[in-house]
Amino acid sequence: MKKRLLISLAFLSFIPIYNLGAECTVTSIAGNGIVSSSGDGRPAVAASLNNPAGLAVDSAGNIYVAEFSGHRIRRIVSSGVINTFAGTGDPFFADLRDGDHADHAHLIYPKYIALDPTGNLFIQEGLYESGWIRKVAASSSIITTVAGGVTNCDGDVERGLNGIEAVSACLLPQNIVINSEGNLYFIDSLNSLGGSEGDHAVIRKIMTDGTVETIAGTGRRGWSGDGGSALSAQIYATDLAFDNNGNLYFASGNYVRKIAPDGIISTVAGNIRGCDSPYATLQDNVPATSASICAHTIAVDSQGNLYIGGVNRVWKVSSSNNMIKRIAGNGTAGFSNGPAREAQFNGIADIASHSDGSIYISDGGNNRIRKIKCKPDLVIESVSILGRGSRLINIRVTIANHGESEARGPFSIGVRPDGYTKPGYNSVQQVLRSGQSLEGGGIVEKTLSLPAAESMEFTIDSGHRVEESNEENNIFPFVSSN
C-alpha cells in the first residue's frame, strides 16, 4: 500500500515533514536464547547459539558468527538457515588440525572474525597468555594459521615486533579487521609496557610479506596524541573498523578515535564523561565529540556512517554532519524486539553492517543475533513553480532523506491536480518507467539511491491542463513509496 503526502502550493511556507516510515526496528534473526551449539540445517531463529561474539557479513548477505564458548564458526545463509562453518566444538590445544577442512579443525575460543575482499575468513582465537589468527580459504575451506601461536610469551621482551614473521610472534590479538586492499590489522593486548594482558595499547598490521608492523600506540595505555602520529600516541582499543576512504577507527572506552591514511590520529566521538554520565542516554542530534558514550564495539557502513555499541545501546554518527543519535537500545539489560529505541539488549559483543543498510548485533547475553533495520525518511523540503503557460505548469520538488539508512526505490515523485478524475486529466495515472526522463510526465516512478542526509531535486511537468477554475492551490506535489 502506498503512503502519499499531498501539499497544497497555497501553503508552501507550512510544508510539514513527511515521514515515509523513518523508524528503526529490531528483530531476532538467529538464536532461541538457549545456550547450546545446535540446530544446524534449521532456520537460524530456531537454533541455539553458545555465547556469540564476532560477526562478519559477506557480499551475498551470508552472516558468520563466532561462538566463543561453542568453539565454532556458524554461518547463516541468506535463506535464513544456519550451519557450522568451522570448528568441531572441541577446544583441543594439542592439535589444531591446520591444513584440514575448516569444519574438522579445532578452534579455541574464537572471538573475532573478518572477511577479506576475496571471501577468505580470518579467525582470532586464543585465551590468556597467547593467541593466534587463522585463515579459512574461500577456494578450498582449508584452515591454516597466519599469525601467532607462540606460547610462554613475555610481553616486555616481545613488545618490539616490527619485522618479525607473524607466525613466529608472541601475540594476543583482541580484534581483527581487513581493509579494502586485503591487509590485516589487529589489536595486540599482550605486548604493552608492563606486559599486562588486557592493556589493548598497540595496533599492528600484518604486511604482505607476512611480517608484523606496529601502526599505533606506544605500548602504554592512554588517550593522548590527537593531531600527531598514531605511533606516538597513547591508546586504548577494543574494536576496529575501516571506512571506504582507508580511515581506521577504533573503539576506546569513552571515545572513538580515528587513524587517517597518513598516520595522524584524532578523536571523532565521545568525551571524558563517558557512559557513566547522567547525560549518556540523552545524546541525540549533538556533535559526536560532545556526546557521552561508552564505545565497546564499532562498525562503519558503506556510506561512512559510524555505529557505536556499548551499555546495551547503539549510537550512529552521521558521515554528513558528524552528529550523533541513539538509534537502538534503551540501556536496560534484557530482551525485547520492536521499535529500536525501546528494544533491550544484554551485552552487545559486536556490530556488523551490510550494504543494504541492515545493522547486525551479536547479543552475547541473550545468545542471539539481532538485526536493526531503519526505513528511509523522505521529506518534501521545498516546492516551487518554475513557470506556467496557458495550459501547463512546471514544478520543482526537492526531497531529502532524513532517515537512518539509504533510500532505495522504487519511489514516486510527482504532481497531480486536486479533484480531477476525468481520463487524461488525472496525471497520477500517468507513470513513467524507471530510467526515463524526469520531465514530461505528471508522475515519475524511479528507483532512487538517496543516502541518508542527502537531497535530490526534480523538475516535473504537471502533465495536465490548467483551466481558469483550477487555481494553483489545487496542484499537489507528492512523494510516495511503492
Side-chain angles (χ1 to χ4, degrees):
M1 179 178 178
K2 294 185 178 183
K3 293 181 180 179
R4 180 167 294 132
L5 174 72
L6 303 180
I7 301 173
S8 170
L9 294 186
F11 303 101
L12 292 185
S13 61
F14 302 101
I15 292 175
I17 289 180
Y18 171 46
N19 189 323
L20 275 178
E23 72 277 2
C24 303
T25 56
V26 173
T27 57
S28 296
I29 64 162
N32 55 18
I34 298 172
V35 183
S36 176
S37 298
S38 61
D40 279 359
R42 300 171 59 191
V45 290
S48 298
L49 301 176
N50 193 348
N51 196 2
L55 295 175
V57 185
D58 67 19
S59 59
N62 301 308
I63 303 167
Y64 298 79
V65 182
E67 279 193 345
F68 182 75
S69 299
H71 310 290
R72 293 177 171 90
I73 306 298
R74 312 283 292 277
R75 181 174 66 180
I76 306 162
V77 297
S78 56
S79 65
V81 174
I82 192 169
N83 280 292
T84 296
F85 179 78
T88 63
D90 180 10
F92 190 57
F93 283 86
D95 182 11
L96 297 179
R97 293 184 178 174
D98 264 10
D100 206 338
H101 197 276
D103 61 2
H104 296 162
H106 293 139
L107 303 183
I108 316 296
Y109 297 104
K111 192 172 184 181
Y112 295 107
I113 53 179
L115 290 158
D116 73 8
T118 61
N120 300 309
L121 180 72
F122 292 79
I123 307 167
Q124 174 262 308
E125 303 176 56
L127 200 62
Y128 305 121
E129 294 183 354
S130 66
W132 50 92
I133 300 170
R134 301 171 81 185
K135 171 185 173 183
V136 180
S139 59
S140 63
S141 295
I142 298 299
I143 191 168
T144 55
T145 298
V146 297
V150 179
T151 58
N152 300 318
C153 292
D154 183 337
D156 290 327
V157 174
E158 295 293 341
R159 180 176 166 270
L161 286 173
N162 287 356
I164 297 177
E165 289 188 358
V167 291
S168 304
C170 283
L171 306 170
L172 188 53
Q174 288 297 300
N175 196 287
I176 54 177
V177 68
I178 300 172
N179 67 6
S180 59
E181 298 174 352
N183 299 309
L184 189 148
Y185 295 71
F186 63 94
I187 301 164
D188 188 356
S189 66
L190 180 66
N191 296 288
S192 303
L193 290 177
S196 174
E197 187 275 327
D199 269 1
H200 303 76
V202 178
I203 299 174
R204 305 191 194 277
K205 170 185 177 182
I206 298 179
M207 307 288 286
T208 55
D209 62 1
T211 60
V212 177
E213 179 186 6
T214 302
I215 67 153
T218 63
R220 188 179 299 278
R221 176 174 170 172
W223 289 267
S224 67
D226 274 5
S229 168
L231 286 168
S232 301
Q234 292 181 346
I235 69 169
Y236 171 70
T238 60
D239 198 10
L240 304 171
F242 271 103
D243 67 15
N244 290 336
N245 295 319
N247 296 299
L248 176 62
Y249 296 79
F250 63 93
S252 185
N254 297 344
Y255 307 92
V256 177
R257 304 178 76 185
K258 180 180 78 172
I259 303 171
D262 62 3
I264 301 300
I265 192 170
S266 60
T267 297
V268 297
N271 60 42
I272 196 170
R273 293 190 300 271
C275 56
D276 293 329
S277 166
Y279 303 104
T281 61
L282 305 176
Q283 304 304 316
D284 276 338
N285 301 316
V286 299
T289 51
S290 300
S292 300
I293 60 172
C294 188
H296 172 70
T297 182
I298 57 173
V300 180
D301 67 17
S302 60
Q303 303 298 318
N305 301 303
L306 171 68
Y307 297 86
I308 305 166
V311 291
N312 298 308
R313 303 179 183 94
V314 179
W315 291 273
K316 174 187 175 183
V317 179
S318 171
S319 60
S320 64
N321 57 16
N322 295 315
M323 302 293 277
I324 194 169
K325 178 181 180 180
R326 178 174 59 89
I327 64 166
N330 62 15
T332 302
F335 172 73
S336 65
N337 289 320
R341 285 169 62 95
E342 301 170 16
Q344 291 180 320
F345 302 94
N346 189 14
I348 296 175
D350 201 14
I351 300 179
S353 66
H354 187 250
S355 58
D356 68 356
S358 299
I359 303 299
Y360 296 96
I361 304 294
S362 181
D363 188 350
N366 284 315
N367 290 286
R368 289 178 167 95
I369 307 302
R370 318 281 289 278
K371 176 181 177 179
I372 303 172
K373 186 66 175 178
C374 301
K375 295 181 180 179
D377 181 9
L378 290 183
V379 174
I380 295 178
E381 287 200 326
S382 65
V383 183
S384 59
I385 298 174
L386 298 181
R388 60 189 305 157
S390 59
R391 310 291 279 177
L392 297 175
I393 184 169
N394 294 326
I395 296 174
R396 176 185 291 145
V397 179
T398 301
I399 65 170
N401 181 6
H402 288 196
E404 303 296 340
S405 64
E406 182 180 11
R408 293 188 178 184
F411 294 94
S412 296
I413 304 97
V415 294
R416 50 156 270 191
D418 181 43
Y420 276 77
T421 58
K422 290 192 283 185
Y425 282 74
N426 191 351
S427 61
V428 77
Q429 299 172 352
Q430 185 178 2
V431 178
L432 297 181
R433 294 185 178 180
S434 174
Q436 287 189 280
S437 170
L438 293 178
E439 308 253 356
I443 177 173
V444 175
E445 185 176 270
K446 185 173 177 60
T447 299
L448 297 181
S449 179
L450 181 57
E454 294 192 13
S455 62
M456 284 184 176
E457 185 176 274
F458 300 90
T459 303
I460 304 168
D461 187 323
S462 68
H464 78 281
R465 298 176 184 275
V466 179
E467 300 178 357
E468 289 184 5
S469 61
N470 185 24
E471 301 296 334
E472 71 177 39
N473 67 335
N474 290 327
I475 307 302
F476 289 81
F478 65 85
V479 59
S480 71
S481 62
N482 293 342

